[in-house]
Amino acid sequence: MVRVNNNFSKIRESYLFSEIAHKTAEYRSSHVDAKIISLGIGDVTRPLCNEVIKSLHTAVDEMGVQETFRGYGPEQGYKFLIEKIIKHDYNSRGITLDADEVFISDGAKSDLGNIGDLFDTDNLVVVTDPVYPVYVDTNIMAGRADNIMYMSCSAENNFIPTLPEKTPDIIYLCYPNNPTGTTLTKSELKKFVDFAKEKGSLILYDSAYEAFITEEDVPHSIYEIPGAKDVAIEFRSFSKTAGFTGVRCGYTVVPKTVKASAPDGSLIALNKLWNRRQCTKFNGTSYIVQRAAEAVYSPQGQKETKENIAYYLNNANFIREGLASIGMQVYGGVNAPYIWVKTPQGMGSWDFFDFLLEKCNVVVTPGVGFGPSGEGYVRMTSFGTKENCEEAIDRIKKILI
Amino acid sequence: MVRVNNNFSKIRESYLFSEIAHKTAEYRSSHVDAKIISLGIGDVTRPLCNEVIKSLHTAVDEMGVQETFRGYGPEQGYKFLIEKIIKHDYNSRGITLDADEVFISDGAKSDLGNIGDLFDTDNLVVVTDPVYPVYVDTNIMAGRADNIMYMSCSAENNFIPTLPEKTPDIIYLCYPNNPTGTTLTKSELKKFVDFAKEKGSLILYDSAYEAFITEEDVPHSIYEIPGAKDVAIEFRSFSKTAGFTGVRCGYTVVPKTVKASAPDGSLIALNKLWNRRQCTKFNGTSYIVQRAAEAVYSPQGQKETKENIAYYLNNANFIREGLASIGMQVYGGVNAPYIWVKTPQGMGSWDFFDFLLEKCNVVVTPGVGFGPSGEGYVRMTSFGTKENCEEAIDRIKKILI
């Protein structure tokens, strides 16, 4: 009889967001007049910018006319988009890439999940704690439940992960970080690159929040670090950069110099393997969507998307400064849409969640939901409206002052 | 050091389409005036229908306005599309499905590849020969290189696969078939369903060409067969139905009654596992694209897409009848865009390819490229223009008569 991949049974069911929804709904039902504001929302709320909309309409019209209709595109993505990505996101920072080192996809989550296809089951993996759950769950599904190590990140170590004693084969890093909103400086990231080069580890670098970076010393790409092109795969997304969470487009950079070992001791280029994986299990990203992503790189597209980022960062700053002004410990929010807030008086994450819901009618995300080291923190996001952010923080300040 | 999934090294590199392109280019370079017509093309050529274009424009406009903007959608797809699918593609044939049994994706190829995540490596798999290579390659990648069995299909057995003596755990079926264009009648398909029920096998039913079915006794969905909801997962696509090869939308039906066994002997619903897989490694299909797919089901969308299908089927009929009229053995093309043509005088697939290229300036696909049982056949497709199809067949008839 057909048999399941039993590794699925080892995934811990996460009730984080359903528990939040449940508690919120329950409160709402007994407080029908409460004006509840969510600072828990992890999704953008501002519409696509005009330049993207214009490009989408043009691409749609092309698809309705025999002469300009496009069928199957390259599994790796269209050159028109890849060239823009390389020029704007990499060449502008002194990084050179060949067109066949960039793979367009329907989003970073797909790529971060699917990349695991390339690796032997018995690789040793390390992730941060707290962590974006996709890294952990996809590795468990692939049979690495017993091969996952954690690097605790908290105020105590300034949110800089310490590599474990046992040498990991694969290191997941997400900077700017979800959920903490913290970053690594170039010199801090360099330590990971140097370690990977020395030990033969691979870094999977999730840079989905890159567009939010405002500080000079924070790398936008891991390839700003010398040697990283030998050891790192980078994942990027238009989701948070340009509000594409419902449009679906991301890309993954696999330099041809990144290699992994085969059983016979030979070194295999992961670029070739990823290309094979994508050609076999993926059929390219929607043409229309790729034209939308291309428009992000036009001068007007850059101006408009940056205005949206600035709007969210302004919210982040308001949250951060507002809470700091009443003596709370806040992290992130400078180079990221996320603010990681230490609960007052040693409260647990869920206790503070309940407190904010009941006393302020504000919903946040309990940090412990992202891993044990998130206990004693909550995550707030800046993706709501300015008005809601301001009102939420004003309410919290009034209660906690 | 990081280690690769060595199963990738067991995939046979396919040079089929690159070899065709190479031979064609070579011929063209030495015959610059030749008007080469391709009957090898596996992609649609007619533009999206008006109703789909209208819906795309509306959805794009929604994304540009705060009030109607959509961010992350459900990983499983929007209800507005799922409900249309169930009503039009299933209820209309007496099949009931719950909304959470249908999963929208970016295409059938992704789903057919990713479904393998759900199964233990040591399942025994059977595919037809000739075969769509994705089934084979994705199973090899997942470590089942030694677990794949083949069912030969040729004129000798009327292209009806015979199950192997060893009981397979997973059976891939693609009907209407790529590459042969042949079908199974309801009673023939019933034998597979009955077998699967008896043995505990799972059928992965690829129904991407369903829209081309014209004959009464050919099932549009495997769920027309009693009991199939206990043993089959069905894959569908808008690619060939509505010209979405560059738009990217498909869907997969996983009835809650389809189960597989866990090591402890318990039965696990594959619906739950697929849902978990998709929620973890996929972030939903583009909202705009789902609105486009929805428009296919409107009365006008149905009318227009059926006109396109009729156009291709008319080409298929012309190819089929034209070649039959000069005594060639032809298969498929009645319920499929593909015509499977026996080479004359026992020629090999590639010899006949060369012959048609040189004598008629017509490009076809050598059948042997889809598997050993394809030797002695070529595949012709009906996706070109009417004018080109007619001219190509006229040329072939003049040479072979």
Side-chain angles (χ1 to χ4, degrees):
Chain A
M1 184 182 183
V2 58
R3 292 172 297 286
V4 294
N5 170 0
N6 197 48
N7 295 304
F8 274 69
S9 70
K10 300 172 189 164
I11 303 168
R12 228 186 43 190
E13 292 289 336
S14 170
Y15 299 105
L16 178 62
F17 290 99
S18 60
E19 181 70 13
I20 292 171
H22 174 73
K23 278 179 176 265
T24 307
E26 195 170 297
Y27 183 83
R28 198 187 299 273
S29 72
S30 53
H31 302 78
V32 285
D33 291 333
K35 194 203 153 197
I36 295 173
I37 296 176
S38 176
L39 295 181
I41 188 167
D43 192 3
V44 297
T45 54
R46 296 181 70 73
L48 298 181
C49 73
N50 289 328
E51 200 65 11
V52 168
I53 295 291
K54 266 167 47 186
S55 184
L56 279 165
H57 279 307
T58 305
V60 168
D61 282 333
E62 285 179 55
M63 295 294 273
V65 178
Q66 179 97 50
E67 289 69 28
T68 52
F69 172 77
R70 308 256 189 156
Y72 290 122
E75 283 93 346
Q76 303 85 353
Y78 278 104
K79 284 284 188 301
F80 64 74
L81 177 56
I82 292 173
E83 282 165 6
K84 296 281 193 315
I85 287 168
I86 292 177
K87 184 178 164 207
H88 287 267
D89 293 344
Y90 293 99
N91 292 352
S92 65
R93 302 188 184 280
I95 300 157
T96 56
L97 288 172
D98 292 341
D100 59 359
E101 296 181 310
V102 177
F103 297 81
I104 311 297
S105 76
D106 65 322
K109 186 177 170 193
S110 301
D111 289 353
L112 280 159
N114 295 333
I115 197 80
D117 285 3
L118 272 47
F119 308 116
D120 196 66
T121 305
D122 70 359
N123 281 286
L124 213 52
V125 169
V126 71
V127 300
T128 61
D129 164 25
V131 67
Y132 176 50
V134 166
Y135 313 150
V136 174
D137 290 348
T138 58
N139 274 290
I140 293 175
M141 281 181 187
R144 298 190 196 96
D146 298 329
N147 293 2
I148 304 173
M149 302 184 289
Y150 294 86
M151 304 180 281
S152 173
C153 295
S154 63
E156 282 67 47
N157 61 3
N158 210 17
F159 299 95
I160 299 170
T162 309
L163 281 156
E165 278 186 38
K166 213 166 172 182
T167 302
D169 302 302
I170 298 172
I171 303 165
Y172 284 83
L173 294 177
C174 171
Y175 290 100
N177 187 255
N178 176 18
T180 67
T182 60
T183 52
L184 296 182
T185 62
K186 282 180 192 167
S187 62
E188 286 155 1
L189 183 56
K190 184 174 182 300
K191 288 176 195 163
F192 285 90
V193 172
D194 291 347
F195 174 90
K197 276 190 83 85
E198 187 195 326
K199 305 284 191 182
S201 309
L202 172 72
I203 299 174
L204 299 179
Y205 195 74
D206 180 356
S207 187
Y209 300 95
E210 171 274 336
F212 289 81
I213 294 172
T214 60
E215 291 183 319
E216 261 307 302
D217 197 34
V218 176
H220 288 249
S221 163
I222 194 168
Y223 305 122
E224 291 178 44
I225 313 300
K229 275 172 72 173
D230 296 331
V231 297
I233 292 174
E234 181 162 286
F235 302 86
R236 294 260 193 123
S237 170
F238 293 91
S239 285
K240 306 297 161 72
T241 306
F244 273 40
T245 52
V247 179
R248 310 305 314 139
C249 196
Y251 64 88
T252 292
V253 180
V254 190
K256 281 176 274 193
T257 39
V258 180
K259 297 189 174 161
S261 71
D264 65 2
S266 63
L267 294 178
I268 309 287
L270 293 178
N271 180 284
K272 198 185 149 204
L273 250 54
W274 182 243
N275 187 57
R276 183 72 207 225
R277 193 268 168 214
Q278 291 297 84
C279 288
T280 307
K281 296 171 84 167
F282 182 61
N283 226 335
T285 305
S286 180
Y287 169 70
I288 300 163
V289 167
Q290 292 189 65
R291 283 294 185 199
E294 183 193 25
V296 171
Y297 294 104
S298 67
Q300 185 62 21
Q302 285 288 293
K303 181 174 168 289
E304 293 182 59
T305 49
K306 281 176 179 155
E307 282 166 6
N308 280 341
I309 299 285
Y311 179 95
Y312 295 132
L313 278 172
N314 188 54
N315 288 347
N317 188 56
F318 192 92
I319 296 169
R320 194 184 146 84
E321 297 300 319
L323 298 180
S325 75
I326 55 164
M328 294 188 74
Q329 280 181 272
V330 290
Y331 307 93
V334 175
N335 304 294
Y338 300 125
I339 303 96
W340 192 243
V341 182
K342 187 96 188 81
T343 61
Q345 295 148 6
M347 281 172 94
S349 291
W350 278 110
D351 289 339
F352 193 47
F353 170 91
D354 290 335
F355 176 88
L356 290 178
L357 177 59
E358 282 159 30
K359 303 290 181 194
C360 308
N361 297 340
V362 170
V363 175
V364 298
T365 311
V368 70
F370 298 99
S373 296
E375 181 56 286
Y377 296 88
V378 297
R379 187 187 77 171
M380 299 188 189
T381 83
S382 61
F383 287 127
T385 63
K386 182 171 185 284
E387 296 70 26
N388 277 346
C389 274
E390 290 179 359
E391 187 174 335
I393 296 305
D394 285 346
R395 290 186 200 164
I396 296 173
K397 281 164 76 172
K398 273 189 198 126
I399 294 287
L400 285 180
I401 211 158
Chain B
M1 183 180 187
V2 58
R3 292 172 297 287
V4 294
N5 170 1
N6 197 49
N7 295 306
F8 274 69
S9 69
K10 299 172 189 163
I11 304 168
R12 227 186 44 187
E13 292 289 338
S14 170
Y15 299 104
L16 178 63
F17 289 98
S18 59
E19 181 69 13
I20 292 171
H22 174 73
K23 278 179 176 264
T24 307
E26 196 170 296
Y27 183 84
R28 198 187 299 273
S29 71
S30 53
H31 301 80
V32 285
D33 292 334
K35 195 205 153 198
I36 295 173
I37 297 175
S38 176
L39 294 181
I41 187 168
D43 192 5
V44 298
T45 54
R46 296 182 70 74
L48 298 181
C49 74
N50 289 328
E51 200 65 11
V52 169
I53 295 291
K54 266 168 46 187
S55 183
L56 279 165
H57 279 305
T58 305
V60 168
D61 283 334
E62 286 178 53
M63 295 295 273
V65 178
Q66 179 97 50
E67 289 68 27
T68 51
F69 172 78
R70 306 258 190 153
Y72 290 121
E75 284 93 346
Q76 303 86 349
Y78 279 105
K79 283 286 187 302
F80 64 74
L81 176 56
I82 291 172
E83 283 167 4
K84 297 278 193 316
I85 287 169
I86 291 176
K87 183 177 165 207
H88 288 266
D89 293 343
Y90 293 98
N91 291 354
S92 66
R93 300 185 187 283
I95 301 157
T96 56
L97 288 172
D98 292 342
D100 58 1
E101 296 182 308
V102 177
F103 297 82
I104 311 296
S105 76
D106 65 324
K109 187 178 168 190
S110 301
D111 289 353
L112 280 159
N114 295 333
I115 196 81
D117 286 4
L118 273 47
F119 308 115
D120 196 66
T121 306
D122 70 359
N123 280 286
L124 212 52
V125 168
V126 70
V127 300
T128 61
D129 163 26
V131 67
Y132 176 50
V134 165
Y135 314 148
V136 175
D137 291 348
T138 57
N139 275 290
I140 294 175
M141 281 181 186
R144 298 189 198 98
D146 298 329
N147 293 4
I148 304 174
M149 303 184 289
Y150 294 86
M151 303 180 281
S152 174
C153 295
S154 63
E156 283 68 47
N157 62 3
N158 210 15
F159 299 95
I160 299 169
T162 310
L163 282 156
E165 277 185 38
K166 215 166 172 183
T167 301
D169 302 303
I170 299 172
I171 303 165
Y172 284 82
L173 293 177
C174 171
Y175 290 99
N177 187 254
N178 177 16
T180 66
T182 60
T183 52
L184 296 182
T185 61
K186 283 180 191 165
S187 62
E188 285 155 1
L189 183 55
K190 183 173 184 299
K191 289 176 194 162
F192 285 90
V193 171
D194 291 346
F195 175 91
K197 277 190 84 86
E198 187 194 325
K199 305 285 190 179
S201 310
L202 173 72
I203 299 174
L204 299 178
Y205 195 73
D206 179 356
S207 188
Y209 300 95
E210 170 273 336
F212 289 82
I213 293 172
T214 61
E215 290 183 319
E216 261 306 305
D217 197 33
V218 176
H220 289 249
S221 163
I222 194 167
Y223 305 121
E224 292 178 43
I225 312 299
K229 275 173 75 176
D230 296 331
V231 295
I233 293 174
E234 180 161 285
F235 302 86
R236 294 262 191 121
S237 168
F238 294 91
S239 284
K240 305 298 162 70
T241 306
F244 273 39
T245 53
V247 179
R248 311 305 312 141
C249 196
Y251 63 88
T252 291
V253 180
V254 190
K256 281 176 273 191
T257 39
V258 180
K259 298 191 174 160
S261 70
D264 64 2
S266 63
L267 294 179
I268 310 286
L270 293 178
N271 180 284
K272 196 182 152 209
L273 251 52
W274 182 243
N275 187 55
R276 184 70 207 225
R277 193 269 167 213
Q278 291 299 82
C279 288
T280 307
K281 296 172 85 166
F282 182 63
N283 225 336
T285 304
S286 179
Y287 169 70
I288 301 164
V289 167
Q290 292 189 65
R291 282 294 186 197
E294 182 192 27
V296 170
Y297 293 104
S298 68
Q300 185 62 20
Q302 285 288 294
K303 181 175 167 290
E304 293 182 60
T305 50
K306 280 178 180 155
E307 282 165 5
N308 280 340
I309 298 285
Y311 180 95
Y312 295 133
L313 278 173
N314 189 54
N315 287 348
N317 188 55
F318 192 90
I319 296 169
R320 196 186 145 83
E321 297 300 319
L323 297 179
S325 74
I326 56 165
M328 295 188 74
Q329 281 180 272
V330 290
Y331 307 94
V334 174
N335 303 295
Y338 301 125
I339 302 97
W340 192 244
V341 182
K342 186 95 188 83
T343 61
Q345 294 148 11
M347 282 172 92
S349 291
W350 278 108
D351 289 338
F352 192 47
F353 171 91
D354 291 335
F355 176 88
L356 290 177
L357 178 59
E358 281 158 31
K359 303 291 183 194
C360 308
N361 297 339
V362 170
V363 175
V364 297
T365 311
V368 69
F370 298 98
S373 297
E375 180 57 286
Y377 296 88
V378 298
R379 188 188 76 173
M380 298 188 190
T381 83
S382 61
F383 287 127
T385 64
K386 181 171 184 286
E387 295 70 25
N388 277 346
C389 274
E390 290 181 358
E391 188 176 334
I393 296 305
D394 286 346
R395 288 187 201 164
I396 296 172
K397 281 165 72 173
K398 273 190 198 126
I399 294 287
L400 284 181
I401 210 157

